[in-house]
Structure formats: C-alpha cells, structure tokens
Amino acid sequence: MVTRKKGGPSTDGAGSVLSTVAGPSDPSLPGSLGSANPIAERLLEKAGGDADLADERPFNATKPLEYGAEALTPHTGESYAPSTPLATASTSTENIASSKLGDGIPRLGDNALNSSLDRVRADDTEQRLTTNQGIPVSSNQDSLKIGLRGPIALEDFVMREKITHFDHERIPERVVHARGSGAHGYFESYQDLCQLTRAAPFAYAGKRTPVFVRFSTATGERGSPDTARDVRGFAVKFYTDEGNWDLVANNIPVFFIQDPMKFPDVAHAVKPEPHHAMPQASSAHDTFWDFASLSPEITHMLMWLMSDRAIPRSYRMMQGFGVHTFKLINTSGEVRLCKFHWTPLQGTHSLVWDEAFKLRGLDTDFHRRDLWEAIEAGNFPEYELGLQVFTETQAESFPFDILDPTKLIPEELIPVFPVGKLVLNRNPDNFFAETEQVAFCTQHIIPGIDFTNDPVLQGRNHSYPDTQITRLGGPNFHEIPINAPLADVHNNQREGFHRQSINRGRVNYEPNSLAGGCPFQVGRAGFVSAPEPVVGNKMRGKPELFADHYSQARLFWISQSAPEKAHIIDAFRYELTRVETLAIRIRMVAGLVNVDATLAHALACGLGIAVPPPLPLATSLPLPNYAPSPALSLLSRPGVTGIRTRQVAIFVAPGVDGAAVRAVYAALLDAGAVPRLVGQRLGQVSSLDGVPLHVETTIEVTPSVVYDAMVAPGGGDGAIALGRDARMIDFVREQYRHGKPILALGNGAGLLSAAGIPATLPDGCDDPGIVSMDPALAPLAIGQFRQALARHRTFERGTEPPAV
C-alpha cells in the first residue's frame, strides 16, 4: 500500500487541494490547508488517499489478458485497499450526521439496498392517516369547499394528492429549473415562534431540522451554463417532525406574471424559439421581448432580471425569497400573513456581465464548482431566514395587493426579522439520486403554514406535483429516498409506478374494520386549513390594484447605486440589441418611459432610436410614490465572513520573489481565501531565495474570470517575463476592467504598467482596489489587499466604453 507523506508544516499547494481544477507537478501534499478546520483536514486526508490509490496502479496490468488465448479464461481484476476510508468517499463531508442523512459512518463495501425487505416494509397498526409528505390528515371524508354547497377549492392538496395518485396508479428533464446544484444541511431556529406559528421547525430555540437545498437556473436546459443571465431557484426541503415542507424560493422576490394562466406563455416565450431552437439559456431574443413588451405586469421583474441580481457571484452569495404571501397559524388558530426571506451571511455579490458571459464558455460549471468546493473545504454556506409578518388589516392599508406576485413589501414598510439560520454542510454522494431526483412542490406545507389566494401560488400548487409525476415516472416520487419524509407515512396508497413500500394486510381503503379502522384521521391534530369566508361570483379577471405595473419597478430603479443603474442600462441595451424586430425594441422602451425618463433616454440612445411616447397605463387610479429602499441594492449586504472562499491568483515565473509569494499565500489561507500559484506552464519555477515554487495551475486552464483578485509579487526577471506574455496582459486588464482587487509588490507593478493599468480612478482619486508597495512592507500591503478583497469590487473603475 502506498501512503503519501505530508509536506511537514508547509502550506505549499494548499490552494490546489481546495480547488477542483488543476494542481502542481509536485507529488507531495501540503502539511495543512492553513486553518484549524476539521472538514479541511478531512479534505486533505481525502486528497492524500485519492493520490495513494492512483499511485498503486501506474498502468493496467491486466490489459494483455483481454487478447488472444489469455482472453479465453476470465481474469480477476486488480484491487487495492485505500489508505483511508475517505479515499473512496464521494465527499469529505460524509461524516456529517442528521436524522435524515444517517449516522455519518460509512459502511465500506455495503449496499443497504441489498438488505432484507424489512427495510421497506410498512404497517398501519395504531397509526394516524397522513399525506405522502407525512402531514396528518384532519378529514378524509370531504374535500375543501367554499361553503357546504360551494365549489371545491383548488388549494385542497389532500384531495388532489389522493385523486392524482389514483389517476396514475396504472402505470424526463425539468421544463424549468432544469440545471441545478444541491446540498444537505440543517435549519436552526433562533427562538420559539409558537405565538406566530405551530410549524415544527420553529418550536423552540436551537431546534435543528434537516434540509436539502437545490439552487438552479430557470430557463436553460440541463447542460446549459451556470452563469447565464437568469432567475435562480433557491428551493429548501425541510424534513420536519410533521412532514416535509418545501419552501420553493427564487433569488428575485417578484414574479413575471399575475395569473397562472400565463405561465406556459412566459415559459414558451423565454425558451429557445421553436422554429430553430435558439438561443439556449438566454432571454435576449425576439419572442421573449415581444411577450414582455405586451405584458406590462412583467416590468418590475424585468428590472431585477436586468440587474446584477440575475448574475450572482455564487449561490452562496445570493438572497432567496418565497415570492408569495403565506399564512402563519399558531396553536390557537390565529392567522398572520408572512413573506419569507433568505439572506447569505457571505454578503450579496454578483458577477459583471462581461465576466459572466466569458464564464459561460470557460467554465459552464462555475456555480456548481464553487458550491462543491466550499462545502468540501468546510466553508459551509450560511443564510439567515427572515420573516415579514403582518396582519390582514395592515395589508388592506398597503398601496398594492399582497396577492399580486409582481409586488414586494418594502422593508421600510414591514421590517424583516431573523428567525433562524440555514447551514449547508454536506455535499450529495450522488448527483442523480439526490440533486436530480429531488422533487419540490409549493403544495408541500405543514401544520402552522397555509396558502393565501395568490393566484400564481394556487396555480403552482397544481403544476408542481403534476410535473413531478411525469418527470419521475409516476405518483410514487415521494418514495425516492431524497424525497421521503422523516415523519411516518401511513395511507391507503399501494400501487403505481416505482412503488417501494411493501404494505402488510388486505386493507387499502377507509373507513374500514378489517384493519381496526387504521390508518385513522386525526382531526384537529392534523393539517387544518385556516378558515376564510369567501363570497363572490365566478369570473375571470384581476383586482384593480394589480393594474399598477410601474410603481415598484420605479422603486427598484431609484434604490440602486450608480454602478448598478449603469449595469441595468447595459443589460437592457445588450438584450434589445439582439432583438431583430424594431417595433419590439420601441415598444419595450415605451414601457420603460413609465419607469424612469433617464433609464428610457439612455436605453433609446444606446439603441439608436428616439424616446417613444409612454405606453398607456392600465389603471386610472393614482399611482403610489415610493421612497428609495436601500435594502434593494446588492451593496447593502456586504456580508460578515470577510474573504473566506475568495479565489486569488498569484502569478509566478522564474526569478519571482519566493518569500513574498509564500507570505501572501499563507496570509490568504489564514483568512480563509483560496490562493493559487498561476504560471505559464505546470512545473517548478526558481525563486530569488533559491527555494523552488510549484505552479498549481495555468492561465489557459483558469483564466482571469474565475478569480476574485490577483497578486503580482515581483522579483528578478520573473515580472519582466510575465509582462511579455500577451495572455498575462489580458489577464491583468480583465481583472482591472471587472473591478477586482490587485496587489503588486516591488517590480510586480511593472506588470500593471505593461497592461496599461492607470494608477488612479477615472475621476482622479486613488483606486482603493489597487495596492502597490515595496516587498519590505508586505504585511501592510497584505492587510490593505484583504480589505479591498472584502469589498469585492471597485465599481468606480467602470467607464463606457471601457478605458482598459
């Protein structure tokens, strides 16, 4: 057995262990990854074990046995024992335990599916009746109606689940949100919220509920790039004591449409055009903007979609919103209204469009890789769950209808208060079995949470389970392990595609006597819909307040910083420039005149057209005039975790200042960043102090856009050699143009000069994102560089067109 030794206390090569791309030619491992993080230590152990196993088999010794006379006798394959169990693990976080994940102890050589059928046997003796999500059923005799003689409510998910399962008992890629990434974790409640809701996750302070989270893009196919301009899904499955609760959120708090009847239309419009199936994962085409320009209710959503919110730096750095208004119900039956907010503790940061666009070709897995690497290294993503809670009386005083999903509630009107923390601490073992097969449905709620009459929410409640039945092969998708609740499931469903449970007995109906009446309904101990009087005629249409299409779009615009506004204009111009039909461009700008004259004028100039008259309004009601809401700007949430997980390129070439390189490398590791030694080719490079450096990756494998910052350490002829490499010059220019921090030590500043990087901002002020110092002052320089990196970007460099 080969056992690879660690390189003593050295951290050389640590950045490569923390990354999933490239690595140095040096076979030795670093002694540590720079921090006392137990998960990082496991990752280091796993890297060593992986390398040990690879070393065991320098070539395939059995290959000759596949030919001629030797092939007539089946041969035994080669096998090797791992030096550590982690060597064969899917993830370094497999020891993370929970009531859903298991005890965190890998059973080597074991397949739990090969155990006896006792593993999946189910019996209903003395058990209460539940839905497939483990939610107790209060009544199994009658559907939910509007009055005893009224129509059946669409929101009756108990009846719909029961009939839908029956409909499919005789026995593809998601239509939207096809591309995604997932992770396991837990939600921990900060306090007892029993006065607000009886929902199980909030029962007491410190209560932990296992979760699985899936992030996704909305419009692209499964093989599309991560960094497309798009809405991001942020779906959380809570495995609660009383069944599964799916909080199906987006990273944008409003929606495209006001009625579910229009969802097929907006989805068809934004998808590739049907006659030639182009473009992929992009809204920049005629059919989408034709629909949008004729559907003014989409305007607010478009402002978010054209903003930096639609190109997040990381799934770990974006907000999530439940979009719709829900109800919270306490044990006394009191009802309050609520909106759900997720806020990342690493801050809200974005890509810039040029950067996102290039990443689409250079690393289509950018967000997926980022999430995986962070969790593998023990840098667990964290988010706070916040609530906006209000009453029906308060809602009636708002200048908008809380049932309109194209509107948000400004935080200045109803503050968001934190109620708990979400921590993602384990990567999936198998992408398909977990991330691809996980099924989220807005209808999956638990006692203490209920629906409002938001029409899009009601439509989603129908659409999601119907989609899962087609996609996952039948009505038993709830029995796939990742979807199975921790709460016991007991009902009379037996058949259908992919049934897993083997139920004892002959009874599959209720009421019954042959099974002792079991499973039995539990009355008020189960899910009970909040009573709500409803009187009205059957009709199609929308409330009058829904007709205000522009006020909140204007609110979003006036709440953005100057760089964010410039990015919105650039995004609109890019998208509409790609539109072939002039009338659609004019119509779209005419709608934006109702949002802001400056926005419309800038866009018209960029498209070479005159500012058209505004589109007519859909209402004669006076429109509300909102004050700016600072919380709507990405810059309002810088985060509290400093520079953890930020990727930093450190240039190295023969003759570089090795001492400075190691000092910067160690300091960045100590702060939780991920430094990489970037060279022109893999291998060793000599340094001024005579101790060689091992290049970890190259500029052709990890170009500028995959890094958050760069370091030019200087030295002898190394900096001069780098300055002659056009690829390196392009690298530096892109770092500057994308607003990223740059550290130059000694004659490393010559690389900046060779790239034409100005010493000051366009307004003549010092650039806070460029730190240039003598190597003797390296500690001071590193401190300033870390501060710049924590700010993420220097947007003040931006000019149109770019000066560098």
Side-chain angles (χ1 to χ4, degrees):
M1 177 188 300
V2 173
T3 302
R4 187 177 299 262
K5 293 183 178 180
K6 294 183 179 181
S10 172
T11 57
D12 289 3
S16 293
V17 178
L18 293 167
S19 174
T20 56
V21 178
S25 302
D26 179 22
S28 61
L29 287 173
S32 77
L33 298 184
S35 62
N37 182 326
I39 298 298
E41 287 300 309
R42 287 175 58 83
L43 178 60
L44 182 56
E45 181 182 345
K46 184 178 188 307
D50 291 345
D52 291 345
L53 278 179
D55 288 345
E56 291 277 10
R57 195 173 191 181
F59 63 93
N60 185 353
T62 66
K63 193 67 179 176
L65 303 180
E66 299 175 15
Y67 304 96
E70 295 285 358
L72 300 179
T73 304
H75 62 273
T76 302
E78 296 179 275
S79 64
Y80 306 94
S83 59
T84 169
L86 280 168
T88 53
S90 299
T91 164
S92 65
T93 56
E94 70 174 2
N95 66 321
I96 300 297
S98 77
S99 50
K100 179 66 178 179
L101 293 168
D103 58 15
I105 301 173
R107 291 165 176 80
L108 302 184
D110 179 44
N111 184 341
L113 290 177
N114 297 143
S115 58
S116 76
L117 292 180
D118 288 343
R119 178 182 57 85
V120 291
R121 296 190 194 280
D123 182 76
D124 297 327
T125 303
E126 298 293 324
Q127 298 299 321
R128 57 188 187 175
L129 184 69
T130 71
T131 69
N132 280 329
Q133 301 303 313
I135 299 164
V137 175
S138 58
S139 173
N140 193 45
Q141 315 309 318
D142 300 288
S143 55
L144 185 66
K145 295 185 286 291
I146 312 301
L148 293 179
R149 300 182 65 252
I152 292 176
L154 183 62
E155 70 180 64
D156 188 355
F157 64 91
V158 178
M159 178 271 291
R160 188 166 57 252
E161 180 194 84
K162 184 176 181 181
I163 291 180
T164 298
H165 194 282
F166 173 77
D167 290 344
H168 295 269
E169 283 178 355
R170 297 293 180 260
I171 260 193
E173 174 180 305
R174 293 170 171 88
V175 178
V176 290
H177 294 278
R179 179 170 181 82
S181 302
H184 293 277
Y186 64 86
F187 172 78
E188 182 173 335
S189 181
Y190 288 161
Q191 55 191 296
D192 179 344
L193 291 182
C194 291
Q195 290 186 338
L196 281 179
T197 176
R198 60 169 285 197
F202 311 110
Y204 55 85
K207 182 174 184 179
R208 288 190 175 185
T209 301
V211 301
F212 186 81
V213 177
R214 185 177 185 269
F215 303 106
S216 58
T217 52
T219 61
E221 296 173 1
R222 195 165 63 187
S224 59
D226 280 349
T227 57
R229 179 177 293 280
D230 201 355
V231 186
R232 299 305 191 283
F234 190 137
V236 182
K237 185 180 290 291
F238 294 79
Y239 302 99
T240 84
D241 307 335
E242 295 199 284
N244 286 358
W245 170 32
D246 291 352
L247 181 51
V248 189
N250 287 334
N251 74 323
I252 292 176
V254 293
F255 212 60
F256 293 96
I257 53 175
Q258 295 176 320
D259 191 282
M261 188 76 81
K262 302 306 297 176
F263 188 75
D265 295 300
V266 67
H268 289 163
V270 76
K271 286 284 190 175
E273 297 191 9
H275 61 309
H276 55 37
M278 297 185 291
Q280 175 61 234
S282 173
S283 57
H285 55 97
D286 286 53
T287 57
F288 174 72
W289 290 100
D290 183 38
F291 175 86
S293 64
L294 295 171
S295 308
E297 66 270 26
I298 204 174
T299 307
H300 189 194
M301 180 67 165
L302 288 179
M303 297 300 295
W304 287 78
L305 188 61
M306 294 300 106
S307 78
D308 293 339
R309 298 276 185 164
I311 44 174
R313 162 61 181 82
S314 166
Y315 290 137
R316 301 175 293 109
M317 300 174 189
M318 71 179 192
Q319 286 182 281
F321 304 92
V323 178
H324 308 287
T325 300
F326 290 84
K327 294 176 181 175
L328 299 179
I329 307 165
N330 64 18
T331 52
S332 300
E334 297 170 325
V335 178
R336 292 177 181 83
L337 301 175
C338 173
K339 280 186 175 282
F340 296 102
H341 297 244
W342 294 110
T343 299
L345 296 188
Q346 287 195 291
T348 51
H349 302 292
S350 68
L351 301 168
V352 295
W353 177 236
D354 180 64
E355 185 180 24
F357 193 82
K358 289 173 178 174
L359 278 166
R360 294 176 68 170
L362 294 167
D363 188 358
T364 57
D365 305 309
F366 183 72
H367 285 147
R368 179 176 293 178
R369 187 186 313 283
D370 172 90
L371 181 67
W372 178 275
E373 290 181 351
I375 295 175
E376 284 296 277
N379 288 314
F380 300 147
E382 297 181 342
Y383 310 79
E384 272 195 330
L385 177 63
L387 307 182
Q388 283 180 302
V389 177
F390 52 101
T391 64
E392 286 278 8
T393 302
Q394 288 176 294
E396 291 170 0
S397 69
F398 297 160
F400 51 88
D401 195 319
I402 54 99
L403 300 183
D404 180 356
T406 68
K407 306 295 193 300
L408 55 77
I409 303 177
E411 293 187 29
E412 291 73 19
L413 192 60
I414 299 293
V416 176
F417 68 95
V419 297
K421 183 170 69 172
L422 171 69
V423 179
L424 303 182
N425 61 4
R426 176 166 172 169
N427 279 316
D429 283 293
N430 182 272
F431 183 90
F432 178 83
E434 297 166 274
T435 305
E436 191 61 25
Q437 289 196 118
V438 68
F440 294 94
C441 299
T442 55
Q443 73 167 46
H444 293 167
I445 57 175
I446 55 177
I449 298 170
D450 203 352
F451 309 119
T452 61
N453 294 332
D454 180 326
V456 174
L457 175 58
Q458 299 276 336
R460 292 176 78 189
N461 287 346
H462 166 75
S463 177
Y464 279 59
D466 202 43
T467 297
Q468 306 297 2
I469 288 168
T470 297
R471 195 175 67 84
L472 296 174
N476 291 312
F477 64 85
H478 60 279
E479 291 197 328
I480 296 172
I482 191 64
N483 296 320
L486 291 175
D488 286 344
V489 174
H490 297 279
N491 54 45
N492 294 311
Q493 297 171 8
R494 296 290 187 268
E495 300 173 9
F497 277 113
H498 310 306
R499 186 69 182 179
Q500 301 295 306
S501 297
I502 300 175
N503 297 83
R504 293 177 64 246
R506 57 177 172 167
V507 170
N508 60 350
Y509 55 89
E510 191 275 336
N512 69 71
S513 64
L514 297 178
C518 297
F520 58 91
Q521 64 185 42
V522 298
R524 294 205 61 83
F527 183 93
V528 179
S529 296
E532 180 181 7
V534 178
V535 178
N537 299 322
K538 294 179 180 178
M539 61 183 66
R540 298 185 188 274
K542 304 179 186 70
E544 183 70 19
L545 282 180
F546 278 44
D548 173 13
H549 301 144
Y550 301 109
S551 295
Q552 290 212 349
R554 184 181 306 119
L555 165 64
F556 183 77
W557 171 258
I558 63 176
S559 301
Q560 302 303 292
S561 64
E564 289 173 303
K565 287 182 177 179
H567 295 167
I568 291 172
I569 293 170
D570 292 345
F572 270 116
R573 184 181 66 246
Y574 173 87
E575 297 264 326
L576 293 174
T577 297
R578 291 181 62 94
V579 168
E580 301 173 60
T581 308
L582 177 60
I584 295 175
R585 293 185 206 146
I586 294 173
R587 197 188 307 145
M588 196 62 238
V589 177
L592 294 176
V593 173
N594 290 319
V595 176
D596 183 83
T598 302
L599 167 62
H601 181 267
L603 183 54
C605 290
L607 296 174
I609 61 175
V611 179
L615 290 182
L617 302 180
T619 179
S620 59
L621 293 176
L623 300 182
N625 186 22
Y626 295 96
S629 175
L632 296 180
S633 169
L634 280 171
L635 305 186
S636 67
R637 294 178 172 85
V640 297
T641 59
I643 66 171
R644 275 176 43 195
T645 73
R646 302 293 173 86
Q647 304 275 333
V648 182
I650 304 176
F651 291 157
V652 293
V656 75
D657 186 342
V661 167
R662 289 188 172 87
V664 173
Y665 197 100
L668 291 173
L669 275 178
D670 185 61
V674 181
R676 305 295 308 280
L677 299 188
V678 181
Q680 294 155 307
R681 291 287 184 272
L682 290 177
Q684 292 186 12
V685 297
S686 59
S687 68
L688 288 179
D689 57 11
V691 180
L693 297 167
H694 293 273
V695 176
E696 297 181 85
T697 187
T698 66
I699 55 175
E700 64 183 355
V701 173
T702 54
S704 168
V705 288
V706 306
Y707 294 104
D708 296 292
M710 60 154 282
V711 178
D717 296 333
I720 299 173
L722 292 174
R724 298 194 190 104
D725 188 332
R727 297 168 303 172
M728 202 65 78
I729 296 300
D730 289 343
F731 191 115
V732 176
R733 287 173 175 167
E734 279 198 339
Q735 289 277 302
Y736 177 84
R737 193 161 62 246
H738 296 156
K740 297 176 181 179
I742 299 173
L743 170 61
L745 295 175
N747 67 347
L751 185 57
L752 276 58
S753 299
I757 304 302
T760 60
L761 295 172
D763 63 4
C765 295
D766 290 338
D767 188 328
I770 295 180
V771 180
S772 182
M773 288 191 186
D774 187 278
L777 300 175
L780 176 61
I782 293 169
Q784 293 185 10
F785 180 63
R786 285 174 52 173
Q787 292 177 5
L789 188 52
R791 289 194 298 269
H792 191 58
R793 294 187 195 272
T794 303
F795 284 117
E796 295 85 352
R797 293 177 192 160
T799 59
E800 183 57 41
V804 174

